[in-house]
Amino acid sequence: DDSIGATMATLSFDELASDYDAIVKPKEAFEQKYKKKLPVVFGPITDKNVEQVKTLNRSIFPVKYNDKFYTDVQKSAEHTQLAYYSTDILVGAICCRVEEGGKRLYIMTIGVLAPYRSCGIGTELLEQGLKQVEADSHIEEVYLHVQTSNVEAINFYKRFGFTIKDTIKNYYKRIDPPDCHVLVKPFPREAK
């Protein structure tokens, strides 16, 4: 029915992602099952679409990111990817920041709007990000923070070779539990 697709395309980001709590606070681990793999195209973050990314992140995550977050993302634009469905509907993003003189990449956020989850988009975003790291001979490690209770996310990253390196108590200020794991994936480079 064509009217269903047309209706979904006109919903706001807030309407599409109203159930983000299910991902932020999963009840238990479960095996990932795709609804249907959706075709997406990737694009960079720019001055023209940064407001869309802000709206996307407000819809997905339980925290509001400040302007410095978006400044950092734009400075590391080559490592930030936006996922578009039907070439113009922003449905997900991976936002990264290059640190330590270009030797580390911090995945600040990776998220997909609720109706588009379990369609392979998060996997494609992370794969795109890791391909960029492979091509960048300076980056030696990728890392990120995951809430300790988010077993689904931890298992997702482990599938890509990330391991838990550390646990930080009271990392998060406004979500429970407040603790996070630091997950890392090394990219050993040959000495020059």
Side-chain angles (χ1 to χ4, degrees):
D1 182 9
D2 289 338
S3 64
I4 293 171
T7 302
M8 279 198 71
T10 61
L11 294 175
S12 72
F13 286 117
D14 291 329
E15 292 167 316
L16 288 171
S18 62
D19 63 340
Y20 68 77
D21 283 334
I23 296 299
V24 175
K25 300 176 184 174
K27 303 288 185 238
E28 58 190 60
F30 64 94
E31 184 180 331
Q32 180 72 36
K33 294 181 180 157
Y34 293 127
K35 293 185 262 189
K36 178 183 173 190
K37 189 161 172 115
L38 291 178
V40 292
V41 294
F42 297 99
I45 190 167
T46 66
D47 290 338
K48 291 181 169 71
N49 64 18
V50 72
E51 288 302 320
Q52 281 185 305
V53 177
K54 288 179 181 181
T55 301
L56 178 83
N57 283 345
R58 280 193 303 271
S59 299
I60 296 172
F61 302 108
V63 295
K64 182 180 179 206
Y65 294 97
N66 61 27
D67 289 338
K68 183 180 180 329
F69 172 94
Y70 295 100
T71 300
D72 288 347
V73 168
Q74 287 181 286
K75 285 180 184 173
S76 300
E78 69 276 9
H79 294 287
T80 293
Q81 292 289 315
L82 310 182
Y84 293 91
Y85 176 64
S86 295
T87 69
D88 63 349
I89 303 169
L90 181 60
V91 297
I94 181 170
C95 297
C96 302
R97 176 178 67 214
V98 176
E99 299 178 345
E100 294 183 27
K103 291 185 176 189
R104 294 180 84 197
L105 184 75
Y106 175 43
I107 298 177
M108 300 185 327
T109 62
I110 180 170
V112 176
L113 289 174
Y116 298 94
R117 292 182 188 142
S118 299
C119 297
I121 298 169
T123 296
E124 286 191 62
L125 282 165
L126 186 56
E127 286 173 346
Q128 284 286 329
L130 295 178
K131 282 180 192 172
Q132 284 291 118
V133 170
E134 282 287 348
D136 186 329
S137 63
H138 296 94
I139 296 175
E140 298 172 357
E141 181 180 75
V142 176
Y143 78 103
L144 57 106
H145 298 95
V146 176
Q147 191 175 17
T148 55
S149 63
N150 195 341
V151 176
E152 179 186 1
I154 294 165
N155 290 336
F156 172 77
Y157 291 113
K158 283 183 175 180
R159 288 195 334 247
F160 290 91
F162 284 83
T163 58
I164 296 173
K165 182 177 183 178
D166 196 9
T167 301
I168 302 172
K169 298 287 186 192
N170 299 310
Y171 178 78
Y172 299 109
K173 304 294 181 228
R174 294 182 182 94
I175 57 176
D176 190 47
D179 306 333
C180 78
H181 292 306
V182 178
L183 277 71
V184 299
K185 179 178 174 83
F187 284 81
R189 306 296 181 170
E190 290 184 28
K192 294 180 181 177

